[in-house]
Amino acid sequence: MNPPFSAYVDESMLLTQGLYLMAAVLVGPIHADACRHDLRALLLRRQKRLHWRDENDKRRAQLIEAVAALRPTGIVVVGAGLDPKRQERARRKCMEHLLWEMGGHHVHDVIFERRHSELDLRDHELVAVLQGRHSMPPKLRLSWRDPLTEPLLWLPDIIAGALSRAERGDCRLWSPVNADLLVRRIDAR
């Protein structure tokens, strides 16, 4: 039997194309510390975290190469129909779908990148509703963490960034990592 996975979750938005992407990368407990070590080794001098939007194209290619070597598995939910004025609605739809999917992937812990207290509270409220409707696996433990202290949150950031680039027509950075990533497309309106 496989050990339970932890899912590390981050999002990306393509406002001009009306897409909200929520990526979950699954990491087994026996690989977590080694992955953290490998990710920290990618930091440049004075860099506190890896963040896709802060990197140039050459650096993004280096990050994708390193992440591809880790052979990431997981799920990316692509919500279409994003209204820029209703980003939280798209997030809720993607999050609901993602949490439901976790039940089929032997996930026990889901760790979201912390945003700020008001937005995280909205996530907590959604989780309470989903639990009440039995719309998510009952044994999932959810938490919100700071990417400065949890390097594994850098993985879904990079994956979501690479897919967002592919959604704009440039698949060069998506191709090396997409083999074991399931992409689900939903209506996020």
Side-chain angles (χ1 to χ4, degrees):
M1 183 167 147
N2 291 330
F5 290 99
S6 293
Y8 295 85
V9 181
D10 195 16
E11 81 286 331
S12 180
M13 287 181 278
L14 287 171
L15 296 176
T16 57
Q17 294 184 283
L19 297 177
Y20 193 102
L21 294 82
M22 185 171 277
V25 176
L26 308 183
V27 180
I30 61 172
H31 301 293
D33 286 337
C35 284
R36 285 183 185 101
H37 177 268
D38 292 347
L39 289 165
R40 283 186 186 110
L42 295 169
L43 290 172
L44 299 173
R45 187 178 163 149
R46 296 191 187 119
Q47 193 176 25
K48 293 181 180 183
R49 69 173 278 200
L50 298 178
H51 200 278
W52 184 261
R53 75 167 184 233
D54 297 336
E55 305 289 351
N56 63 34
D57 286 345
K58 181 180 177 186
R59 179 81 165 128
R60 287 175 178 166
Q62 292 170 340
L63 295 177
I64 286 297
E65 183 179 327
V67 169
L70 297 174
R71 303 210 41 182
T73 62
I75 303 164
V76 185
V77 177
V78 179
L82 168 65
D83 178 345
K85 295 177 183 172
R86 302 184 77 190
Q87 294 174 14
E88 285 301 304
R89 178 177 173 76
R91 179 181 176 85
R92 288 191 306 272
K93 293 229 176 215
C94 290
M95 190 171 166
E96 179 176 6
H97 191 86
L98 185 71
L99 291 173
W100 181 257
E101 286 273 350
M102 294 293 111
H105 293 277
H106 204 57
V107 172
H108 283 191
D109 295 296
V110 180
I111 299 95
F112 289 91
E113 180 173 330
R114 187 172 69 199
R115 299 184 294 161
H116 65 69
S117 57
E118 180 184 321
L119 294 177
D120 289 346
L121 179 61
R122 290 180 187 178
D123 287 350
H124 290 277
E125 290 168 349
L126 172 62
V127 169
V129 168
L130 295 176
Q131 289 170 332
R133 290 192 328 217
H134 305 290
S135 297
M136 62 178 272
K139 294 185 180 183
L140 277 185
R141 294 183 304 236
L142 281 67
S143 60
W144 285 257
R145 297 202 190 132
D146 190 327
L148 292 174
T149 59
E150 179 49 86
L152 293 174
L153 287 167
W154 307 344
L155 287 171
D157 175 74
I158 293 167
I159 295 296
L163 182 55
S164 69
R165 187 131 178 192
E167 291 290 333
R168 291 187 303 251
D170 182 357
C171 294
R172 289 175 296 154
L173 298 177
W174 177 243
S175 298
V177 294
N178 75 351
D180 294 317
L181 293 165
L182 179 62
V183 177
R184 298 281 194 220
R185 296 184 182 277
I186 66 166
D187 185 347
R189 285 178 275 211

